[in-house]
């Protein structure tokens, strides 16, 4: 007996895995399910394994810190042999995984596989799709380039619009009131540990339910799902017209998964990795961040929507969409499975696919940027505009347009990265305001290159008016002394 057979027998004698594994892989499935329509689930699992393997290898080099993340990706792109190809495989694998998972869910819906007794399998699949999108979003943030920085700012703005708890959610998401090293560490933990671990656990449970409940039979017109008789009818079908999953059906899964991996490798070799683009710079505010393709549709929708509809859309439409998907198998859990007799289902999939395709295509070349101004979208309080000169009102416009309130509060609304501006004129003189705006300081970047002299003059003129009426403005003690000495 060969040595490897002896090792195998030794392990099996102690683990007792051969019998249950053989029973599962040899379980009968309906003959018509050995079809090319049933390969997307296996391909999704293979792509998940690809992401885990390439992610582990990338994690050996990647530095999850604000100071070194961008540089570590440059090392992978230019210094390590085939480092660029590894990054490209991971990036394109993410795109393919999202696409294949979406196709798999559409196929499951059209084939009626969400119906009894597979309701929980479908619900689990919905959450697996959300986690797949979560992995995609967190992975884009880890590039920590201009698109990632400002895209994360848009994500924080969306989170901040949740009533009552928006500010707390932003703090939880960013690890504080601003995007910094803590943010990157938090997203690294989500992308590498939390989401993949949960997704693996859900995948194992998903596969277990598929094995125990059986692969959905071919949706023949006229075959009605009834809770009272379905299990017996399915068992009879697999015995009369079934074949073992291995090797009867598995070879198509293997061929298709191999083709998908080959396609990922070709795209990686031809198109290369995603970014990173320029290093993140919060002073470059005239930027048009674009997400990866699976979120481009949202980018386009927000570009078309008027500002007053953004918040209702973001807070209402996604939760309703997820709720509909979760409730679907419980509302439509019995009845006809064939898409030929479910025109509403076919129309719904076609409509969603066309909208997704059109909006994604528009998002690839449109110059628009979503009007996501975070707190700066809130108007300046009226009392802070009364009795202002035209120059000072122009400065208020600069304050809004340059998104200063994303970092500073005014009238109780704004970011927390910098101090509130309501009484800034009591702390800083005109010269100090000009120096702070142009040269920055502390955790404030320099905006000398982002503002014209006219904009700086107007902004400072307005900031000089921001003080309570009962408090005097800040004064330069040295100038007061010189003035006193020059008095006759």
């Amino acid at each position: 007996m060969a040595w490897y057979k002896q090792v195998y027998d030794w392990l099996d004698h102690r683990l007792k895995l051969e019998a249950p594994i053989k029973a599962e892989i040899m379980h009968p499935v309906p003959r018509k399910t050995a079809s090319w329509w049933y390969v997307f689930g296996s391909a999704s699992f293979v792509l998940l394994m690809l992401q885990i393997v390439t992610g582990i290898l990338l994690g050996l080099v990647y530095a999850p810190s604000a100071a070194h993340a961008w540089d570590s990706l440059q090392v992978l792109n230019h210094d390590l042999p085939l480092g660029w190809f590894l990054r490209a495989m991971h990036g394109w694998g993410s795109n393919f995984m999202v696409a294949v998972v979406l196709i798999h869910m559409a196929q499951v819906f059209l084939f009626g596989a969400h119906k009894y007794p597979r309701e929980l399998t479908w619900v689990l699949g919905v959450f697996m799709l959300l986690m797949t999108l979560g992995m995609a979003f967190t992975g884009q943030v880890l590039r920590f380039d201009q698109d990632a920085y400002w895209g994360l700012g848009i994500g924080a703005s969306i989170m901040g619009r949740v009533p009552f708890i928006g500010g707390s959610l932003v703090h939880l998401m960013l690890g504080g009131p601003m995007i910094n090293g803590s943010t990157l560490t938090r997203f690294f933990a989500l992308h590498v540990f939390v989401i993949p671990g949960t997704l693996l656990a859900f995948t194992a449970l998903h596969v277990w339910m598929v094995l125990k409940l059986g692969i959905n039979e071919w949706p023949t017109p006229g075959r009605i799902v009834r809770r009272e008789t379905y299990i017996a009818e399915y068992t009879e079908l697999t015995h009369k017209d079934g074949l073992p999953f291995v090797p009867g059906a598995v070879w198509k899964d293997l061929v298709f998964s191999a083709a998908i991996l080959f396609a990922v490798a070709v795209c990686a070799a031809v198109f290369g990795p995603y970014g990173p683009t320029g290093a993140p710079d919060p002073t470059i505010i005239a930027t048009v961040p674009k997400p990866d393709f699976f979120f481009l549709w949202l980018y386009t929708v927000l570009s078309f929507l008027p500002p007053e509809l953004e918040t209702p859309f973001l807070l209402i439409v996604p939760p309703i969409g997820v709720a509909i998907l979760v409730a679907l198998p419980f509302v439509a859990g019995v009845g006809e499975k064939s898409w030929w007799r479910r025109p509403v289902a076919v129309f719904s999939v076609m409509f969603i696919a066309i909208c997704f395709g059109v909006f994604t295509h528009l998002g690839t070349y449109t110059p628009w940027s979503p009007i996501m101004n975070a707190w700066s979208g809130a108007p300046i309080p009226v009392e802070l505009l009364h009795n202002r000169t035209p120059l000072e009102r122009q400065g208020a416009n600069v304050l809004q347009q340059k998104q200063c309130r994303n970092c500073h509060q005014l009238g109780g609304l704004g970011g927390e990265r910098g101090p509130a501006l309501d009484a800034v004129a009591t702390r800083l003189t005109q010269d100090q305001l000009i120096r702070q705006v142009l040269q920055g300081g502390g955790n404030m970047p320099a905006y000398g290159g982002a503002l014209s002299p006219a904009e700086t003059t107007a902004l400072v003129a307005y900031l000089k008016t921001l003080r309570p009426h009962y408090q005097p403005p800040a004064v330069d003690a040295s100038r007061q002394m010189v003035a006193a000495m020059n008095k006759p």
Side-chain angles (χ1 to χ4, degrees), residues 168-206:
S168 299
L169 291 177
V170 171
H171 275 251
L172 181 64
M173 176 182 180
L174 302 183
M178 56 184 285
I179 301 172
N180 54 23
S182 299
T183 307
L184 199 60
T185 303
R186 186 155 299 198
F187 273 81
F188 181 78
L190 287 173
H191 186 74
V192 175
F193 301 110
V194 179
I195 299 178
T198 307
L199 187 55
L200 279 174
F202 278 25
T203 300
L205 183 57
H206 189 80

Side-chain angles (χ1 to χ4, degrees), residues 83 94 109 178 260 383:
S94 174
F109 174 65
M178 56 184 285
I260 289 292
E383 61 271 16

Side-chain angles (χ1 to χ4, degrees), residues 349-401:
V349 172
M350 292 179 60
F351 178 76
I352 293 173
I354 291 173
C355 290
F356 179 81
V358 170
F359 286 139
T360 300
H361 176 65
L362 288 174
T364 60
Y365 68 86
T366 51
W368 318 313
S369 180
I371 307 174
M372 297 295 298
N373 297 322
W375 296 285
S376 61
I380 291 179
V382 176
E383 61 271 16
L384 297 181
L385 295 173
H386 278 319
N387 301 322
R388 263 62 172 186
T389 66
L391 178 63
E392 292 165 353
R393 292 198 174 197
Q394 180 60 33
N397 287 334
V398 174
L399 185 78
Q400 290 286 93
Q401 294 168 1

